[in-house]
Amino acid sequence: MKFVLLWSDALFFLLIAAMIAGGVWASRQPHLRASWRKVGQSRVAIGSAAVLAVFFAIAFVDSLHYRPQLPATPQGEVRYSTEVLSALDALLLPLRTQTEKTYSAPLATHLFAKETLDDAGRDFPPLRYPGTHLFGTDKVGQDVLYLTLKSIRTALLIGTLTTLIMLPAAIGLGLLAGYVGGWVDDVIQYLYTTLNSIPGVLLIAASVLMMQVVIDTHPEWFATSAERADARLLALCAILGITSWTGLCRLLRGETLKLRELEYVQAARALGVSSALILWRHILPNVMHIVMIAMVMDFSGLVLAEAVLSYVGIGVDPNTISFGTMINTARMELAREPMVWWSLAAAFIFMFVLVLAANLFADALRDAFDPRASR
Amino acid sequence: MSLLSVRDLSVSIGALRPVDGVSFELERGETLALLGESGCGKSMTALALMRLLPAGGRIAQGTIHFADEDLCRLTEAQMRHVRGGKLGMIFQEPATSLNPVMTVGEQIAEALRFHTGDTRRVVELLAAVGIPDPERRAREYPFQMSGGMKQRAMIAMALAGAPELLIADEPTTALDVTIQAQVLDLLDGLRRERGMAMLLITHDLGVVARMADHIGLMYAGHLVEMAPRAAFFAAPGHPYARRLFEALPEMAQEKRRLATIPGSVPPLGTTFTGCRFADRCSEVLPVCHRELPPWREHGPAHQVRCHLEVRVEQIVRKVGAGETASVGVPAPPPALLTVRELKVHFPIRRGILQRAVGYVRAVDGVDLTLPAGRTLALVGESGCGKTTVGKAILGLQAPTAGEIHWQAEKLQGLAPERMQMVFQDPFGSLNPRMRICEIVAEGRPSVDVARILEQVGLSASMADRYPHEFSGGQRQRIAIARVLAVAPQVLICDEPTSALDVSVQAQILNLLAELQQTLGLSYLFITHNIGVVNHLAHEVAVMYLGRIVERGTVAEVLRAPRHPYTQALLAAVPRIDGRRMDVKVAGDPPSPSNPPAGCHFHPRCPRAEARCREAYPPVVSVSATQSACCFFAK
Ligand code: SF4
Ligand code: SF4
């Protein structure tokens, strides 16, 4: 067995570490503690946080990648499979390996379509593992529950890494535009109005296609197909990040404009404190609640964006399991007669629960942290 | 029977009791002033009368009889007819009480329709509240009117239902003194004309002296003294009332320490046994902590809720004690800071290209000199540019023209080691996310925080706490500590006490005076409060529309003002001895983007002549130290 650390894994671990560190830091801040207590008192917040935690745990286990060892060759040489598996795959071994021939309905005992059987003419052939597929199986007989569980990592990565990529730009440029003003403000405003005025899908489609060309012309960069899919996933995050920082940036610019006129900022300026220090000490901590709320709100938007983009074919690598690719294949399945509805239903249920939990949590956070909402 | 009779009224909001057992009566045609500092429950009492308590608030006990009806028993639908009908109310903030998307006329018509069904009286009402050109004004939107105008419109609306009782909650607190004087005159006139009763809610002793027939003093949800005006001002019975008078800067002997009340008003939710003032009372008796003091007769119709027996004759209160002429002011030391021809103009930008179509001349040629160790007060109404002057001198605002000299050296930009600023709002001037020690050490991280905190009268143990744990007065001390840490020689104080209660204001003024003596600081004191000027300043400069119109020593400017604007400003300040001067100014200050030609004051000046409209008057020296910009200053 050989461990594999994909780029997205590294970033994901980093993110989780940062979230834990941030949580510890926030719980030590007296001015935040009261707000966190308010979050803790809300039953909705606790419930949605628990759901999110389960999703994150699944994604975490799914990010521990390795290449299994192949049976030793006669020469005694150790070889590894080119297939990259994750700890989740190992945990879900029965789900992954208990495949059928083709479609079967949820918890069915027989295949979905009739086949010519050896002895008795055409009939529904019995399943190899009857009654074990909670959400049925797909065209190649893979368990749909397994697919949805694997999709979670993709969705969470897109939702979180994208925010991570856009945050520095949004915060940095927003604060700078609001605080420095003048031509800096003009340039930044020009930048985000321009970006905003290009239809988002168009911009993303163009960048994704370009990125695809680059990846396809350099096959030597990637040792395994998993690495290639991973690179594509990261690139998608970057592209989404670049096109989605404008909203938060504008919010932060406005808030900074307001904070800049506050007397404690004026007092700091009068004391000769440098602008960088004022931004760091006075402005940033007082806009953090906006950043946090925006992050959780954007998260659900991004999860949905991935589904839409993959559906139109400009999202993740077609080999990456994601809600988007599942929905994409479901398009054909829905057109079949009789209809195969369970992959779409499974994807829909999981996405719905994830996005709903994220939104409820965002609302609870806003109620607790936004000083205007509490009044 | 009296028009309004409140018996044992208590208001509860959750577990809090902002009003606790208040009783009073109000006759037709009389004015009762409920007086008190912030958080004493006076506004809550008014809202309870209107049955407009905030969410979660309810009348816990007591009765309100108004014109033979028990208001507590009425249904909400019946109450709507009483409210705005027989019972009118005007609020502190005219800007937020009017609907910005309806014309003023429509809003008054709406009130008329609801209460009388007759909407033709709009213009008549606007005329009654002294709005010039009422036909045109009725078609205007609130944003087209000045603050004073809006307050008049609010009064017109309250009059629509021909109320028998008008409740005025701090009706002039948001207004400038000259406008305040106009609005107070209007209210008093209307009351007399219409035989209304008026319940005036205020914290301002001057306003009370000017308006009230009877006074109810509130403290921490209790009424503690009820008295006719004359008796209250001649011989206040409650120790709290006496301390309040002594804490007024206009009452103090010049340049003496002000009497202060230690601490601040107890927060809502404090549980009391005994007298609620006991922790701050200097005359406290052992019994005070144990037993709630009973009402005692102090004089005719004058009751006091205090254990202490004081006879009227024992109370010696010196009205106008501050009038002593200052004797032989020593020649001012050489100037530390000199400001010459300072101008700050803000461009007004319009159109796509953002071209400047005009300028707001916020500061338009100001000269100032500030000697070492002295206090120069810069006085003026809101919008006259006084804060901008302070910021420009400090370097927070780039001047359009003019020079600032530190002794012989020309200053450019900030000079943090020399000049610092104390701001108005003690809640906005401290970063809520920083601890006190971080705030104090902000300008100079190496400073000894404990020593500085003690210097401003705070204990060193507070260093690790956060600003929200402190009261307004303590926050202002922290803000002062922060600037003292860099050891400046000049402090620019921008209305440092205007957001504070009288008793706390006195503490801060004393602290500033003390620091001036021990550290030799110079103050540029920006304020609109004449009482504070009288107490603290050595020299005064009066500003109107971006320019200084009169300057001189405190004695000269406050006792013998030469500029008509200064005279009007001083006359407009409500005095607690109830004396009235009759120099009146009409109208509102014009906009600094389009100042009137000639003397800026001529549209409002009672003495204006033809030449005032043509040229700006020169500086006329009256004495070695006093000068005024008026053709008739001599
Ligand atoms: S009852 Fe006692 S503590 Fe209260 S005001 Fe009177 S003397 Fe002071
Ligand atoms: S110059 Fe004329 S208008 Fe101006 S203040 Fe003097 S008298 Fe009034």
Side-chain angles (χ1 to χ4, degrees):
Chain A
M1 200 167 71
K2 183 168 137 191
F3 275 104
V4 178
L5 188 69
L6 297 176
W7 274 104
S8 58
D9 298 339
L11 288 173
F12 190 61
F13 295 148
L14 206 70
L15 191 92
I16 288 187
M19 267 161 50
I20 291 172
V24 169
W25 176 81
S27 65
R28 295 237 178 99
Q29 302 293 308
H31 58 269
L32 293 179
R33 218 179 282 153
S35 298
W36 281 118
R37 208 172 298 138
K38 231 191 284 173
V39 176
Q41 278 162 0
S42 146
R43 234 177 292 160
V44 176
I46 293 293
S48 50
V51 172
L52 286 179
V54 170
F55 275 87
F56 267 90
I58 293 173
F60 181 77
V61 177
D62 200 10
S63 297
L64 303 165
H65 284 109
Y66 66 95
R67 284 161 70 177
Q69 194 171 350
L70 292 179
T73 51
Q75 290 83 26
E77 186 189 339
V78 182
R79 284 182 315 144
Y80 296 99
S81 155
T82 52
E83 193 186 13
V84 177
L85 293 177
S86 76
L88 188 72
D89 295 324
L91 284 179
L92 299 178
L93 193 66
L95 275 189
R96 187 164 67 90
T97 49
Q98 295 176 357
T99 57
E100 306 294 338
K101 237 168 102 194
T102 179
Y103 292 121
S104 70
L107 297 175
T109 51
H110 290 76
L111 276 185
F112 191 58
K114 280 184 184 166
E115 270 177 31
T116 316
L117 300 179
D118 305 341
D119 42 357
R122 279 177 69 80
D123 201 355
F124 297 104
L127 293 185
R128 268 174 256 165
Y129 306 96
T132 52
H133 305 296
L134 186 61
F135 282 108
T137 54
D138 72 350
K139 189 172 181 183
V140 293
Q142 270 194 308
D143 189 290
V144 172
L145 178 63
Y146 170 72
L147 292 179
T148 37
L149 290 178
K150 289 288 279 183
S151 299
I152 290 172
R153 172 172 184 269
T154 320
L156 287 191
L157 272 184
I158 300 243
T160 51
L161 288 189
T162 306
T163 4
L164 204 67
I165 287 165
M166 75 171 214
L167 270 192
I171 296 180
L173 295 180
L175 293 195
L176 218 59
Y179 188 73
V180 180
W183 65 267
V184 177
D185 187 20
D186 290 346
V187 169
I188 293 171
Q189 277 198 69
Y190 178 80
L191 201 69
Y192 70 58
T193 359
T194 314
L195 265 179
N196 255 4
S197 54
I198 306 173
V201 179
L202 208 68
L203 197 65
I204 294 170
S207 334
V208 168
L209 291 177
M210 263 157 54
M211 174 244 336
Q212 215 166 317
V213 170
V214 173
I215 288 181
D216 288 348
T217 48
H218 296 280
E220 72 279 6
W221 286 355
F222 312 104
T224 58
S225 69
E227 275 181 34
R228 203 185 65 216
D230 186 63
R232 187 158 166 181
L233 181 66
L234 280 187
L236 183 67
C237 288
I239 292 165
L240 280 174
I242 288 167
T243 51
S244 65
W245 58 272
T246 53
L248 180 59
C249 181
R250 189 186 311 210
L251 268 181
L252 291 181
R253 173 179 171 270
E255 188 68 15
T256 309
L257 275 179
K258 203 185 77 200
L259 288 176
R260 186 180 67 165
E261 294 308 317
L262 281 191
E263 290 182 344
Y264 59 81
V265 176
Q266 302 266 325
R269 282 178 60 201
L271 285 165
V273 179
S274 70
S275 295
L277 207 53
I278 290 182
L279 281 174
W280 173 249
R281 226 193 253 162
H282 294 289
I283 311 271
L284 189 61
N286 285 297
V287 298
M288 258 350 239
H289 65 278
I290 298 184
V291 173
M292 197 161 62
I293 294 161
M295 249 168 70
V296 189
M297 297 267 237
D298 283 356
F299 171 80
S300 41
L302 289 165
V303 171
L304 296 176
E306 186 274 330
V308 172
L309 291 177
S310 301
Y311 175 73
V312 290
I314 52 172
V316 293
D317 191 278
N319 296 325
T320 310
I321 304 170
S322 83
F323 290 129
T325 46
M326 280 178 75
I327 293 172
N328 195 8
T329 49
R331 188 169 45 161
M332 314 297 291
E333 297 168 357
L334 287 178
R336 271 177 58 112
E337 189 58 41
M339 193 164 76
V340 170
W341 48 270
W342 46 88
S343 346
L344 187 71
F348 173 79
I349 291 172
F350 272 75
M351 242 162 78
F352 177 75
V353 170
L354 175 62
V355 169
L356 184 69
N359 274 335
L360 289 177
F361 191 62
D363 277 350
L365 276 193
R366 192 184 39 205
D367 288 348
F369 280 90
D370 195 340
R372 270 158 305 206
S374 61
R375 244 174 270 135
Chain B
M1 191 179 165
S2 351
L3 177 68
L4 174 73
S5 143
V6 176
R7 287 264 138 260
D8 206 19
L9 177 72
S10 296
V11 173
S12 65
I13 300 179
L16 307 177
R17 281 234 167 177
V19 179
D20 196 2
V22 164
S23 309
F24 57 86
E25 317 246 311
L26 180 53
E27 305 291 336
R28 270 168 230 276
E30 284 199 337
T31 302
L32 170 70
L34 282 185
L35 174 70
E37 296 181 291
S38 54
C40 68
K42 54 192 194 305
S43 289
M44 212 50 86
T45 309
L47 292 176
L49 296 187
M50 295 292 277
R51 296 250 315 263
L52 284 176
L53 288 171
R58 58 187 192 87
I59 295 174
Q61 73 180 56
T63 56
I64 304 168
H65 277 281
F66 172 64
D68 303 327
E69 260 180 308
D70 187 349
L71 292 190
C72 299
R73 294 250 172 94
L74 294 187
T75 62
E76 182 55 32
Q78 290 169 317
M79 196 61 211
R80 281 229 307 279
H81 279 273
V82 176
R83 236 180 257 146
K86 282 189 281 182
L87 197 57
M89 181 152 184
I90 49 181
F91 297 91
Q92 171 170 358
E93 205 41 84
T96 52
S97 316
L98 288 170
N99 182 345
V101 297
M102 273 168 80
T103 66
V104 169
E106 282 169 17
Q107 298 188 46
I108 297 174
E110 199 176 45
L112 279 172
R113 192 175 310 124
F114 188 70
H115 292 292
T116 64
D118 173 14
T119 57
R120 281 163 304 170
R121 289 176 48 231
V122 172
V123 174
E124 185 190 321
L125 277 175
L126 283 176
V129 295
I131 290 186
D133 198 0
E135 281 92 358
R136 187 170 60 80
R137 288 292 182 177
R139 289 191 301 273
E140 287 191 355
Y141 288 91
F143 75 90
Q144 292 167 296
M145 300 183 147
S146 67
M149 216 52 109
K150 274 186 255 186
Q151 193 58 292
R152 283 172 192 265
M154 275 302 300
I155 296 173
M157 229 186 317
L159 292 181
E164 293 175 43
L165 170 63
L166 188 63
I167 300 178
D169 186 1
E170 304 270 9
T172 56
T173 308
L175 306 176
D176 279 320
V177 258
T178 54
I179 310 298
Q180 160 170 307
Q182 297 168 7
V183 171
L184 290 180
D185 278 347
L186 171 70
L187 282 175
D188 211 27
L190 287 171
R191 178 185 63 87
R192 225 168 296 155
E193 225 165 78
R194 306 188 170 223
M196 288 188 300
M198 188 149 80
L199 181 67
L200 181 70
I201 313 286
T202 183
H203 69 282
D204 188 331
L205 278 166
V207 171
V208 172
R210 161 86 183 70
M211 304 285 287
D213 299 309
H214 288 276
I215 289 157
L217 177 66
M218 288 192 74
Y219 186 79
H222 269 168
L223 264 177
V224 294
E225 180 159 1
M226 292 288 291
R229 178 183 60 202
F232 183 73
F233 282 90
H238 198 275
Y240 175 55
R242 291 203 296 274
R243 290 296 95 71
L244 271 188
F245 277 108
E246 285 160 21
L248 276 185
E250 42 270 72
M251 297 311 300
Q253 297 275 339
E254 256 169 277
K255 313 292 175 282
R256 295 265 182 79
R257 276 185 69 86
L258 294 170
T260 59
I261 310 177
S264 52
V265 180
L268 280 178
T270 318
T271 39
F272 303 94
T273 50
C275 176
R276 302 196 161 187
F277 188 56
D279 288 335
R280 304 174 71 192
C281 182
S282 55
E283 280 129 289
V284 60
L285 308 167
V287 62
C288 302
H289 286 288
R290 287 195 312 272
E291 278 170 45
L292 194 63
W295 281 104
R296 271 188 316 96
E297 290 294 321
H298 184 65
H302 188 169
Q303 289 145 335
V304 177
R305 205 170 190 182
C306 173
H307 286 298
L308 195 69
E309 290 268 358
V310 189
R311 265 170 295 120
V312 177
E313 305 81 60
Q314 290 173 330
I315 301 166
V316 214
R317 217 177 52 67
K318 294 154 281 181
V319 173
E323 298 280 326
T324 46
S326 54
V327 274
V329 181
L336 189 62
L337 189 71
T338 327
V339 177
R340 237 178 272 144
E341 274 299 306
L342 183 72
K343 288 186 183 169
V344 183
H345 294 179
F346 298 103
I348 309 170
R349 297 186 191 280
R350 288 253 171 75
I352 317 170
L353 292 179
Q354 296 287 299
R355 231 160 341 139
V357 293
Y359 289 92
V360 176
R361 297 162 201 277
V363 179
D364 201 18
V366 160
D367 298 301
L368 290 172
T369 35
L370 182 58
R374 315 259 296 177
T375 302
L376 169 64
L378 193 56
V379 183
E381 295 178 280
S382 60
C384 74
K386 54 192 195 301
T387 298
T388 314
V389 169
K391 288 194 174 167
I393 293 177
L394 195 66
L396 282 180
Q397 171 71 54
T400 313
E403 291 181 357
I404 299 157
H405 287 270
W406 184 270
Q407 287 162 344
E409 175 193 346
K410 189 171 167 194
L411 283 187
Q412 221 125 33
L414 293 163
E417 311 281 292
R418 292 170 171 166
M419 281 188 280
Q420 278 304 327
M421 189 150 179
V422 178
F423 293 87
Q424 170 175 6
D425 179 9
F427 292 86
S429 64
L430 306 179
N431 185 344
R433 317 244 139 134
M434 281 166 75
R435 283 179 299 159
I436 303 310
C437 54
E438 292 167 324
I439 291 172
V440 172
E442 174 148 40
R444 183 170 294 172
S446 60
V447 80
D448 179 359
V449 174
R451 186 183 58 80
I452 296 275
L453 282 180
E454 262 150 34
Q455 201 171 10
V456 297
L458 295 173
S459 94
S461 62
M462 294 171 173
D464 280 330
R465 314 227 308 251
Y466 282 84
H468 67 91
E469 299 171 50
F470 295 91
S471 68
Q474 285 172 319
R475 282 159 179 254
Q476 204 57 292
R477 285 176 195 266
I478 295 165
I480 293 172
R482 169 175 60 191
V483 299
L484 286 184
V486 296
Q489 282 163 275
V490 171
L491 273 194
I492 298 173
C493 305
D494 186 7
E495 308 258 16
T497 60
S498 67
L500 304 175
D501 283 323
V502 177
S503 63
V504 181
Q505 161 175 295
Q507 297 169 8
I508 298 295
L509 292 179
N510 280 344
L511 173 65
L512 287 173
E514 219 174 86
L515 291 173
Q516 181 160 55
Q517 274 185 359
T518 51
L519 303 176
L521 294 177
S522 309
Y523 296 136
L524 176 64
F525 208 92
I526 298 166
T527 183
H528 69 274
N529 187 332
I530 304 291
V532 172
V533 174
N534 186 22
H535 174 67
L536 202 70
H538 301 98
E539 278 98 38
V540 187
V542 181
M543 236 179 129
Y544 187 72
L545 229 54
R547 296 193 185 176
I548 298 221
V549 294
E550 178 159 11
R551 69 177 81 232
T553 63
V554 167
E556 287 166 340
V557 175
L558 297 194
R559 314 278 174 267
R562 292 306 183 91
H563 195 281
Y565 175 65
T566 318
Q567 291 165 353
L569 195 64
L570 293 176
V573 179
R575 299 163 59 100
I576 64 163
D577 51 14
R579 248 196 293 156
R580 308 259 286 278
M581 295 195 235
D582 31 53
V583 192
K584 286 272 159 60
V585 290
D588 296 316
S591 152
S593 61
N594 186 19
C599 175
H600 289 170
F601 190 54
H602 84 250
R604 304 173 74 195
C605 180
R607 292 169 61 186
E609 286 185 3
R611 62 173 162 161
C612 303
R613 281 179 268 279
E614 276 146 27
Y616 196 84
V619 178
V620 178
S621 293
V622 183
S623 73
T625 45
Q626 189 181 11
S627 63
C629 282
C630 173
F631 292 114
F632 306 101
K634 275 279 176 194

